[in-house]
Amino acid sequence: MLRTSLFAALSAAALLSAIPAQAQEGNVLTLSSEQTTTFVRNFNPFGQTSARYTTLDFIYEPLVVFNRLKGNTPHYRLAESFELADDLKSITFTLRDGLMWSDGEPLTADDVVFTYDYIKKFPALDFISVSAQLASVEKVDDRTVRFNLNEPNSLIANTIVGMPIVPQHVWADIADPVTFANENPVGSGPMTEITRFTPQVYEQCRNPHYWDADNLQVDCLRMPQLADNPQVLAALADGSLDWATSFVPDIDNTFVAKDPEHHKYWFTPSSLVSFQLSQVTPDENNRKAFTDVNFRRALSMLIDRQTIVDIAGYGYPLVNEDPASLGQLYSAFANPEVETEYGKYGKFDLDAGTALLDESGYVDADGDGFRDNPDGTPIAIEVMVPNGWTDWIDAVQIAMETMTEAGLNVKMSTPEAAVWTSSLIAGDYSMTLNALASAANPYFPYIRSFNPDDFGKSRFTAPHWQNAEVMELLGKYTQTKDAAEQKTAMDRIQMIVAEAMPIIPVYNSPSFYEYNTSRFTGWADADDPKYSPVVSNANPARLLQLLDLEPVAK
């Protein structure tokens, strides 16, 4: 292990030493938002598996950024305002005056309307399944767009702003936008110009026509290729990175202690990490087990969450034993009946989990030492997690110990992150760990996890579990402003999910956010929790952090 870590550290140091010195000076910000063995030049904002992680937000600016740390407060970006109709059946966005694309062409309501017509024409682009909620999108004037809804929806603004707006004058001529690499993007955000691109490093620099240029003090972003957590740690420790999101073991000793004045971090409870089983897996025998709620419940009781948190997570995460998956992060919305009725299935109990497998007919029918389905067919579970995600790999290894002790045939595979993502989107996997970003309201993790319209588009629906009543209740939740009616719907949703246990919650991961104050100031932290500053591509508020940064005076 020591030899491997040393090799990774030396590899990262060698890689970063090849980066020109000017990247570590002045107003060039070096960051790590993704881990991969090589960079492929792709900036398609609709791409869920191949686009670089700096595409959204930095190249394609959202209409609005909603701040989950401040009660979902809107920070207006391309839009200067929006207004939801009293009947909740339409919402109108007004764009800022004088917006331009990075090539100097005007950015108008026509581009917004085009984008929504475009994702309807090419449904594979609609990775948030917003089209199904829209009756029409109409231009009111050059700066105003009205979205007419099929059903009332009090939370529709949060969904709409999740779709990147693209320039009509570029994308209208693209024959196949699904596979289009968009190597030289024309965007609306602060960092649109790809000034250098190699498999090992790329640079993304200022938009010459950015509307908020006066607030942008960073001239370029530089992304070195870092393959895994140890390489990110090595780069953080030697001061090469300004901004990163990565699991860092024993962070006070391995990172902060290297330069206590400048090496900082701030972790807040965030993404739900859960074990998930594909209910559409091509393996017919596995599918028999995975679609049986008793098997899922038993598996959940075999997971030693606290040990995973303590060892794999170095104590950073927050254990989640909620069968409805919400946990402490959404405690204000919790239905206490969930714990009473189904709480035992969310807690580690090796004996009870083993007994439930026995009672449900999952015994060793062929004498090979592993449990089989009740009909005698074999179960062989492969737990897939991305290569280099060391905390997840450790978590799986801990879980495999108790699963094996209970008689299950289980092994692990570690493909590249892009391969893993594609497999989850397709449901072409056996078992995995998966993460789901937090939100200001539990409606969003539920709709993102269980919406059938997202099957085949998003890794967040990886189990491919669906329930008509859940979808109906989620619809009702957004069709009223009455808090009591919303609570009734949310309480019932939790009971259905807890009973079925389509995912197996393990913990709420902290938002991993590490930063270096030696070259830039203006970072959000525990003393100034102005928004989530995590540089992950699942966090649009990273745009706000970028705009708050200022180079340290020399």
Side-chain angles (χ1 to χ4, degrees):
M1 178 65 73
L2 179 61
R3 182 180 178 184
T4 302
S5 299
L6 178 61
F7 177 76
L10 291 173
S11 298
L15 173 66
L16 288 164
S17 67
I19 299 173
Q22 67 266 25
Q24 307 306 319
E25 300 175 355
N27 54 3
V28 177
L29 181 79
T30 303
L31 64 84
S32 175
S33 64
E34 65 176 311
Q35 297 174 10
T36 183
T37 56
T38 187
F39 286 132
V40 176
R41 187 163 180 155
N42 187 309
F43 298 96
N44 184 329
F46 304 108
Q48 295 296 287
T49 60
S50 54
R52 299 280 57 82
Y53 281 27
T54 55
T55 303
L56 295 177
D57 312 319
F58 297 147
I59 296 179
Y60 296 91
E61 186 161 32
L63 293 167
V64 181
V65 173
F66 285 98
N67 188 345
R68 66 175 179 82
L69 296 190
K70 298 293 184 181
N72 224 25
T73 301
H75 293 256
Y76 293 102
R77 303 309 306 160
L78 295 181
E80 66 177 20
S81 65
F82 68 83
E83 184 176 359
L84 185 63
D86 290 340
D87 64 2
L88 308 181
K89 290 202 66 176
S90 69
I91 187 170
T92 302
F93 285 82
T94 300
L95 300 178
R96 295 182 183 275
D97 190 21
L99 291 174
M100 298 174 68
W101 293 104
S102 56
D103 62 358
E105 292 291 319
L107 191 168
T108 71
D110 290 321
D111 295 298
V112 180
V113 173
F114 167 80
T115 297
Y116 278 86
D117 287 344
Y118 202 60
I119 62 174
K120 191 170 185 178
K121 180 180 178 181
F122 298 98
L125 305 181
D126 186 7
F127 58 90
I128 56 174
S129 297
V130 65
S131 294
Q133 303 180 59
L134 303 176
S136 63
V137 181
E138 58 180 313
K139 172 183 175 181
V140 178
D141 57 41
D142 283 346
R143 292 175 50 207
T144 310
V145 179
R146 180 179 297 117
F147 295 81
N148 298 305
L149 312 181
N150 290 320
E151 301 286 347
N153 190 332
S154 61
L155 298 175
I156 191 62
N158 296 74
T159 302
I160 286 174
V161 303
M163 181 58 61
I165 305 303
V166 297
Q168 179 177 7
H169 67 279
V170 173
W171 288 77
D173 297 327
I174 305 304
D176 186 358
V178 177
T179 60
F180 176 49
N182 196 29
E183 294 185 356
N184 297 294
V186 174
S188 57
M191 297 291 181
T192 57
E193 308 306 286
I194 311 304
T195 58
R196 179 187 179 195
F197 197 98
T198 76
Q200 289 75 42
V201 63
Y202 70 96
E203 296 173 357
Q204 191 169 315
C205 297
R206 294 177 71 103
N207 175 353
H209 300 286
Y210 186 48
W211 70 271
D212 201 15
D214 290 346
N215 285 324
L216 179 63
Q217 302 301 312
V218 177
D219 285 338
C220 292
L221 305 178
R222 178 172 289 244
M223 281 61 64
Q225 176 267 319
L226 300 169
D228 53 28
N229 293 338
Q231 288 192 5
V232 175
L233 170 57
L236 283 166
D238 71 14
S240 302
L241 285 175
D242 298 303
W243 191 10
T245 177
S246 176
F247 170 80
V248 175
D250 194 15
I251 192 167
D252 289 312
N253 290 318
T254 59
F255 171 53
V256 175
K258 304 298 182 182
D259 184 355
E261 181 182 356
H262 299 113
H263 288 187
K264 309 290 184 180
Y265 69 93
W266 176 39
F267 295 166
T268 56
S270 184
S271 303
L272 169 67
V273 175
S274 64
F275 279 108
Q276 301 184 355
L277 302 165
S278 174
Q279 298 196 23
V280 295
T281 178
D283 187 318
E284 181 182 358
N285 293 331
N286 280 355
R287 195 163 63 245
K288 295 173 186 176
F290 297 170
T291 54
D292 178 7
V293 66
N294 284 327
F295 185 86
R296 298 195 297 273
R297 288 172 172 172
L299 195 60
S300 174
M301 289 190 284
L302 299 178
I303 305 300
D304 188 348
R305 294 163 175 80
Q306 191 63 58
T307 297
I308 287 173
V309 165
D310 291 343
I311 297 178
Y314 280 78
Y316 303 154
L318 187 67
V319 167
N320 189 327
E321 299 178 327
D322 180 5
S325 80
L326 297 184
Q328 292 186 38
L329 193 64
Y330 301 102
S331 59
F333 297 87
N335 179 358
E337 292 185 19
V338 167
E339 172 63 24
T340 301
E341 291 291 325
Y342 306 109
K344 64 181 179 181
Y345 299 122
K347 295 177 174 61
F348 173 56
D349 189 332
L350 181 59
D351 291 339
T354 302
L356 182 55
L357 287 173
D358 290 337
E359 294 165 9
S360 303
Y362 294 96
V363 298
D364 180 8
D366 55 13
D368 66 353
F370 297 115
R371 293 180 183 270
D372 303 298
N373 281 307
D375 66 0
T377 54
I379 303 169
I381 302 173
E382 178 181 275
V383 189
M384 178 189 294
V385 290
N387 178 47
W389 294 20
T390 54
D391 51 332
W392 281 22
I393 291 171
D394 290 345
V396 169
Q397 290 174 333
I398 292 168
M400 286 171 59
E401 291 181 12
T402 47
M403 292 167 64
T404 301
E405 186 175 349
L408 294 173
N409 182 6
V410 58
K411 64 179 181 178
M412 178 172 59
S413 65
T414 55
E416 289 292 312
V419 175
W420 170 77
T421 301
S422 296
S423 297
L424 267 58
I425 289 173
D428 185 13
Y429 71 98
S430 175
M431 182 175 176
T432 189
L433 268 183
N434 200 359
L436 180 67
S438 59
N441 188 298
Y443 166 84
F444 295 105
Y446 278 143
I447 195 71
R448 295 190 75 186
S449 297
F450 306 132
N451 185 2
D453 290 340
D454 282 345
F455 291 0
K457 300 177 184 177
S458 167
R459 72 171 171 85
F460 303 119
T461 60
H464 288 69
W465 177 84
Q466 57 182 304
N467 181 283
E469 186 179 358
V470 165
M471 292 306 299
E472 180 183 355
L473 289 165
L474 287 170
K476 289 181 178 179
Y477 188 85
T478 60
Q479 292 168 22
T480 178
K481 291 182 178 179
D482 186 276
E485 292 182 13
Q486 288 185 326
K487 184 179 187 308
T488 298
M490 187 56 65
D491 283 351
R492 177 59 185 152
I493 292 168
Q494 291 176 63
M495 290 296 284
I496 296 171
V497 172
E499 181 180 12
M501 210 164 199
I503 64 177
I504 299 171
V506 180
Y507 60 78
N508 282 91
S509 173
S511 295
F512 290 116
Y513 160 56
E514 301 90 14
Y515 60 104
N516 186 328
T517 64
S518 64
R519 286 178 291 274
F520 292 89
T521 62
W523 301 99
D525 58 22
D527 295 326
D528 186 14
K530 45 192 173 181
Y531 39 66
S532 172
V534 180
V535 73
S536 161
N537 66 344
N539 178 39
R542 63 182 178 164
L543 172 63
L544 307 179
Q545 176 63 93
L546 175 66
L547 292 168
D548 275 353
L549 295 179
E550 295 183 5
V552 172
K554 299 298 183 182

